[in-house]
Amino acid sequence: MASNRPAPEAPFVPSTHDTEPFGYDGYRAEEGPWEEWNPTAESIRPVRGRHRVAKQRGGLARSSTVLGVGVIAAVGAGGMASAQTGKPPVSISMPDLPNVGSLISDDEPEPQGSATPLSSLGVTADDTAEGTSDAGEVLRARIMQQAEQQQVQVENKAAADAAAKAEKAAADAAAKAEKEAEAKAAAAKKKAEEEAAKKAEAERLAELAKQFTLPTSSYTITSTFGQAGSMWSSGYHTGLDFAAPTGTLIKAVHTGTITEAGWAGAYGYRTILTLDDGTELWFCHQSSINVSAGQQVNTGDVIGRVGATGNVTGPHLHFEVHTDGAEGGIDPAAWLQGKGLSI
């Protein structure tokens, strides 16, 4: 730290004080007169550094050293008082202390006060409580706001989950309903198609019934196709027997050409009607024949009469159906039913 060289002492000049008293009974050293000393720049120039001795004004230094010491003492006293009385400390404001140069320099500006509190001096307990209460309210409000936000988020998430669940349930229900509707529609369509097919078949059979007819009327079925017995040379019955009184009319079942008309041994008198598709219809055991070979006949035309000629046990019409590729004939009852005729 820089230090100043001590200034030289002023020269002592004896005065009349040595022999003459001044104001008192005897001479006193603290009384004058003294020789006037005018310091120069050389006499007061510091050895090193830039510090100068501050001038005194009114017998007091300009520096704030005394003020600082007083404040420190006041703070100490306040602290001791606070410790003794139990009151909460209060803060005070004091000016910032300047640096060392400013304490002894005439050129530095006057120090200004600072708003920074160095202690709690001057602040009441109510002020401190009010500040603490305000801070607590702010903290509580912030916590409540965060809690409300979290609650809103939870409620929004729950609502979104419920909406998604409801939407999924609705979609599943809609898909199930759609599937059931499709199944019902398919079943209804199938049923309608079946009914339409039945209706179409009935119409077709009705049209065929107009084109086909039974070979005789007032009859009784006595033997069916495939029936076994020793009466037939093949071992089974090859046709359908319509028992009727002798002379009952025999009709052409469908439009066609007479390809045979005459005696046929065990079949007696037989007429063969050949249809346009090649199917042959045999009318056997007739008592009489009304057509001849090569003759064209239409549905319902009379071609003969019921009899008992050939190998028979009574008057009846033995009716057989022969199609191409079917050796021995087919069931006449099924064939007639296929043409819309009921036996």
Side-chain angles (χ1 to χ4, degrees):
M1 179 177 179
S3 60
N4 296 328
R5 186 175 54 183
E9 297 180 357
F12 175 74
V13 177
S15 64
T16 58
H17 288 288
D18 293 336
T19 59
E20 296 179 2
F22 183 77
Y24 296 96
D25 294 337
Y27 171 77
R28 295 182 180 182
E30 64 272 14
E31 294 180 356
W34 297 279
E35 182 180 351
E36 183 179 358
W37 175 57
N38 293 322
T40 63
E42 291 297 330
S43 64
I44 64 173
R45 184 176 58 86
V47 176
R48 58 181 178 274
R50 295 175 298 174
H51 301 291
R52 293 180 298 173
V53 177
K55 296 179 180 180
Q56 296 182 353
R57 297 179 181 176
L60 295 177
R62 285 185 57 222
S63 67
S64 57
T65 302
V66 177
L67 176 61
V69 173
V71 170
I72 293 174
V75 171
M80 294 176 63
S82 298
Q84 293 175 359
T85 59
K87 295 183 180 180
V90 292
S91 61
I92 63 171
S93 299
M94 65 174 293
D96 293 335
L97 296 177
N99 54 30
V100 177
S102 64
L103 294 177
I104 59 176
S105 175
D106 292 335
D107 298 333
E108 297 296 331
E110 292 290 336
Q112 301 295 327
S114 173
T116 303
L118 295 181
S119 69
S120 58
L121 186 63
V123 179
T124 64
D126 293 338
D127 296 336
T128 303
E130 182 178 359
T132 304
S133 176
D134 292 343
E137 288 297 327
V138 171
L139 179 60
R140 187 183 69 83
R142 184 177 301 172
I143 294 175
M144 293 298 296
Q145 182 179 6
Q146 293 177 354
E148 291 177 358
Q149 291 177 354
Q150 293 176 356
Q151 182 65 24
V152 170
Q153 292 176 357
V154 171
E155 293 177 355
N156 291 340
K157 186 177 184 301
D161 293 341
K165 185 176 181 181
E167 184 177 357
K168 185 177 183 300
D172 294 341
K176 183 178 179 181
E178 184 179 0
K179 186 175 180 180
E180 292 177 353
E182 290 178 354
K184 291 181 179 180
K189 182 180 180 181
K190 183 178 180 181
K191 184 178 180 180
E193 290 177 351
E194 292 177 353
E195 292 179 354
K198 290 180 180 180
K199 183 178 180 180
E201 182 65 13
E203 292 176 355
R204 185 186 72 82
L205 294 178
E207 290 295 328
L208 289 175
K210 294 177 182 179
Q211 301 175 15
F212 291 84
T213 186
L214 292 175
T216 189
S217 60
S218 301
Y219 60 89
T220 300
I221 301 297
T222 56
S223 297
T224 58
F225 179 81
Q227 186 176 346
S230 58
M231 296 182 296
W232 302 288
S233 59
S234 62
Y236 66 93
H237 195 233
T238 57
L240 182 65
D241 287 349
F242 294 84
T246 301
T248 302
L249 298 177
I250 299 174
K251 301 174 184 179
V253 176
H254 189 61
T255 300
T257 302
I258 302 298
T259 55
E260 183 180 325
W263 182 260
Y267 287 103
Y269 287 107
R270 179 182 68 179
T271 300
I272 297 177
L273 173 61
T274 303
L275 305 182
D276 293 338
D277 61 358
T279 302
E280 293 181 356
L281 307 179
W282 294 7
F283 304 86
C284 307
H285 306 307
Q286 296 180 72
S287 60
S288 64
I289 298 175
N290 295 0
V291 292
S292 59
Q295 183 180 343
Q296 295 289 324
V297 296
N298 295 319
T299 302
D301 289 347
V302 176
I303 59 174
R305 293 179 184 274
V306 175
T309 60
N311 187 13
V312 296
T313 57
H316 69 281
L317 170 64
H318 179 79
F319 181 69
E320 291 187 11
V321 178
H322 295 263
T323 59
D324 292 340
E327 185 178 357
I330 63 174
D331 185 2
W335 187 84
L336 291 173
Q337 289 175 354
K339 303 304 179 182
L341 300 175
S342 298
I343 301 175

